[in-house]
Amino acid sequence: MTDVLKNDRFLRALRREPTDTTPIWVMRQAGRYLPEYRATRERAGSFMGLAQNPEYACEVTLQPLERFELDAAILFSDILTIPDAMGLGLSFAHGEGPQFARPVRNAADITKLAVPDMDGELRYVMDAVRLIRQELHGRVPLIGFSGSPWTLACYMVEGAGSRDFATLKTMCWNEPKLAHQLLDTLAQSVAAYLIAQAAAGAQALMIFDTWGGLLGPAPFREFSLRYMAQIVAALKADTHARELPVILFSKGAGQHLAEMADTGCAALGVDWTMNLADARRAVAGKVALQGNLDPAVMRASPEVIRREARAVLDSYGNHPGHMFNLGHGITPEVDPEHVKVLVDEVHAYGRALRS
Amino acid sequence: MTDVLKNDRFLRALRREPTDTTPIWVMRQAGRYLPEYRATRERAGSFMGLAQNPEYACEVTLQPLERFELDAAILFSDILTIPDAMGLGLSFAHGEGPQFARPVRNAADITKLAVPDMDGELRYVMDAVRLIRQELHGRVPLIGFSGSPWTLACYMVEGAGSRDFATLKTMCWNEPKLAHQLLDTLAQSVAAYLIAQAAAGAQALMIFDTWGGLLGPAPFREFSLRYMAQIVAALKADTHARELPVILFSKGAGQHLAEMADTGCAALGVDWTMNLADARRAVAGKVALQGNLDPAVMRASPEVIRREARAVLDSYGNHPGHMFNLGHGITPEVDPEHVKVLVDEVHAYGRALRS
């Protein structure tokens, strides 16, 4: 834990300080597109077997760093560990998305929910953070993360993935107090979870609000943004976590960047449907930005990947505060060689942009 | 065809003329939430059997008008009739989305495609339009429609539904000329299709760009918007179709409204993720707006439906040029009584708003 950080580009960019080039990491960089990831998952037997075993989680977290000159590692885990620890029974049916054996549907279900024990049910996550920090030897910083309260609630109430998560939306409209009770319990849990990850050694924190963009503007503020702001405030009140930059990422919520920037977070993730020049104007220098190459570009030819990467870098321009990333997670069919092409181009062109 | 139009609220709003109250229709109003629709579909044997039979298509088009005081009818059909007529072999697997037996993947496939014969393969659509106009007896205007070239191409190249339609995106990046050849053939086909619907009796035309919002800003302009603009221009050059107002609807593309308003269309559809007050500012009085209640609201209680409908009406305000609708199609589990609640509230509050 006391290793000096050898590559601090990512943390410097998060603080909007000058860097020699643009740092890059890739959402879901430890994922199915890597054959070595698939091999470890095979050995682990299941996705949850992989995520809940600190040695396996450490192994797959480090795999992409062996191949590519990435500027950050991100804890390998799932966004749904908190509801699983609350007793909902998370599983991943083969080839399908997440499922909960015991979804949350009514006041009795919601009243029963308690903030999970970070040294109990969720200890495996903190063990993984500690082990990864140790094995990283200060090569790059480690990002800890959580799903947002809104996104966790989407799955908890629906019981599985959904196109529109209308079950939770209906609860928000018909029984707003109940929805707020659920979201408040989740916000407390996410704050405790991220504080514990910080204490275990995470050096930056990210909140994934995958489904915030399904909400209209007023419900987005009331049911998603409000609870992310509550978490950021709780982190700022913690002696240790307050030092860590927080990244908020609401997919499909580009129109809300200005309000999101006012939460006290350090950076915002931006999906690929928005130009970074527009995003910069929207946040008016208050936060750094992370993104935003269309993940589908990774399936195109190397020369297209290079050209589109340069377009993203150009749209941000020669200003501090840009962490390159895809606008959403990398998909399983991407050729790993294409990731090398991307990482190398971002570093080379990022350097050229600064000179 | 010569019946005088008894309710012209919808067409007046499209022209941004004053109306006694706000007109309303509902995307997919002839759909599975209606038991009488399910009964007709049962008799037809399959979805395509329903869509390709003018009598059945007419029957289901009129069903929601028997129940609710809707201000427009929309042709019952599918957005994928054009690629089906091009020989791709459209089917709907039970409980699943559309599938093409012969997807389009390469230059040979694309070069073979020709604009379908509107009096041949697509005659059933024009027959349905003629029959519906006759059976409407001028009660309300009839909307004709098509999928956008981009959205048709998404399905034609992927062969089925997809989360990201990365196959077509990859073609756009790796082989842009080929993608443009496909999109141009589709734009010519859609223009001919809408002109034929106008000649058959449609009184307004709508283009559904369901997947335009999956594109980043530059590709949206190049691969989606450009071809919708080409279609609007072709319609304006047709003696008959030029009289018909055209509505463009790109889901998830709220940031592009200003550019879309410059195509010469009469109105834009707006999904529920954007406030109509912001949308009005974006289009600066150039076009009317259609939308934008979150379809999930229809699953909430009647009092919530009324409150949220009023919020949509308030966000547009007391200005001409608003056609109320959902922000996307109505879903099968909605109680038909809730549609009555919505329609009645929009008319009552729309009247109050004007006084």
Side-chain angles (χ1 to χ4, degrees), chain A residues 13 41 67 134 159 163:
Chain A
R41 181 170 167 171
R67 279 186 181 252
Q134 184 188 307
R163 190 178 282 264

Side-chain angles (χ1 to χ4, degrees), chain A residues 283-342:
Chain A
V283 302
K286 287 181 191 169
V287 294
L289 294 176
Q290 178 170 282
N292 73 341
L293 187 72
D294 186 341
V297 169
M298 299 307 290
R299 292 173 60 171
S301 69
E303 71 186 292
V304 169
I305 294 169
R306 286 190 198 99
R307 185 192 72 203
E308 295 295 322
R310 291 194 298 268
V312 168
L313 288 160
D314 282 334
S315 80
Y316 193 88
N318 184 14
H319 311 279
H322 180 209
M323 296 82 66
F324 197 102
N325 209 312
L326 305 186
H328 197 46
I330 188 167
T331 52
E333 65 290 321
V334 171
D335 180 346
E337 279 305 301
H338 286 195
V339 177
K340 180 167 167 42
V341 166
L342 175 70

Side-chain angles (χ1 to χ4, degrees), chain A residues 267-282:
Chain A
L268 296 176
V270 182
D271 73 27
W272 71 93
T273 62
M274 188 170 195
N275 196 295
L276 283 187
D278 293 332
R280 273 194 74 235
R281 266 188 293 276

Side-chain angles (χ1 to χ4, degrees), chain A residues 92-314:
Chain A
F92 290 80
H94 204 70
E96 287 177 47
Q99 287 204 311
F100 285 117
R102 291 170 290 282
V104 157
R105 288 283 160 80
N106 52 39
D109 293 343
I110 288 171
T111 303
K112 265 192 296 191
L113 297 174
V115 175
D117 181 359
M118 303 302 152
D119 288 319
E121 302 91 346
L122 288 168
R123 189 183 170 92
Y124 70 91
V125 176
M126 310 314 149
D127 286 341
V129 170
R130 280 183 283 266
L131 185 59
I132 297 163
R133 266 304 298 274
Q134 184 188 307
E135 296 302 315
L136 273 172
H137 299 296
R139 277 167 72 181
V140 292
L142 174 62
I143 306 166
F145 76 91
S146 173
S148 73
W150 169 256
T151 295
L152 299 182
C154 276
Y155 289 100
M156 290 168 74
V157 172
E158 196 72 39
S162 161
R163 190 178 282 264
D164 57 6
F165 291 102
T167 315
L168 176 58
K169 282 186 173 182
T170 306
M171 185 190 285
C172 290
W173 283 310
N174 285 349
E175 302 169 281
K177 277 188 190 170
L178 200 57
H180 282 300
Q181 188 187 336
L182 170 60
L183 291 163
D184 183 67
T185 302
L186 287 169
Q188 291 179 46
S189 302
V190 171
Y193 187 54
L194 293 175
I195 286 170
Q197 290 185 38
Q203 291 151 294
L205 299 169
M206 181 157 168
I207 300 176
F208 288 87
D209 186 34
T210 314
W211 301 119
L214 293 179
L215 290 166
F220 175 76
R221 270 171 226 124
E222 181 176 351
F223 298 105
S224 173
L225 181 57
R226 168 178 164 176
Y227 292 97
M228 291 196 285
Q230 183 176 320
I231 294 163
V232 174
L235 296 173
K236 297 283 169 216
D238 179 80
T239 328
H240 190 78
R242 72 190 316 157
E243 304 298 328
L244 274 64
V246 180
I247 309 164
L248 303 184
F249 177 47
S250 289
K251 188 166 165 280
Q255 62 169 314
H256 303 301
L257 293 180
E259 286 170 275
M260 293 174 75
D262 285 331
T263 56
C265 66
L268 296 176
V270 182
D271 73 27
W272 71 93
T273 62
M274 188 170 195
N275 196 295
L276 283 187
D278 293 332
R280 273 194 74 235
R281 266 188 293 276
V283 302
K286 287 181 191 169
V287 294
L289 294 176
Q290 178 170 282
N292 73 341
L293 187 72
D294 186 341
V297 169
M298 299 307 290
R299 292 173 60 171
S301 69
E303 71 186 292
V304 169
I305 294 169
R306 286 190 198 99
R307 185 192 72 203
E308 295 295 322
R310 291 194 298 268
V312 168
L313 288 160
D314 282 334

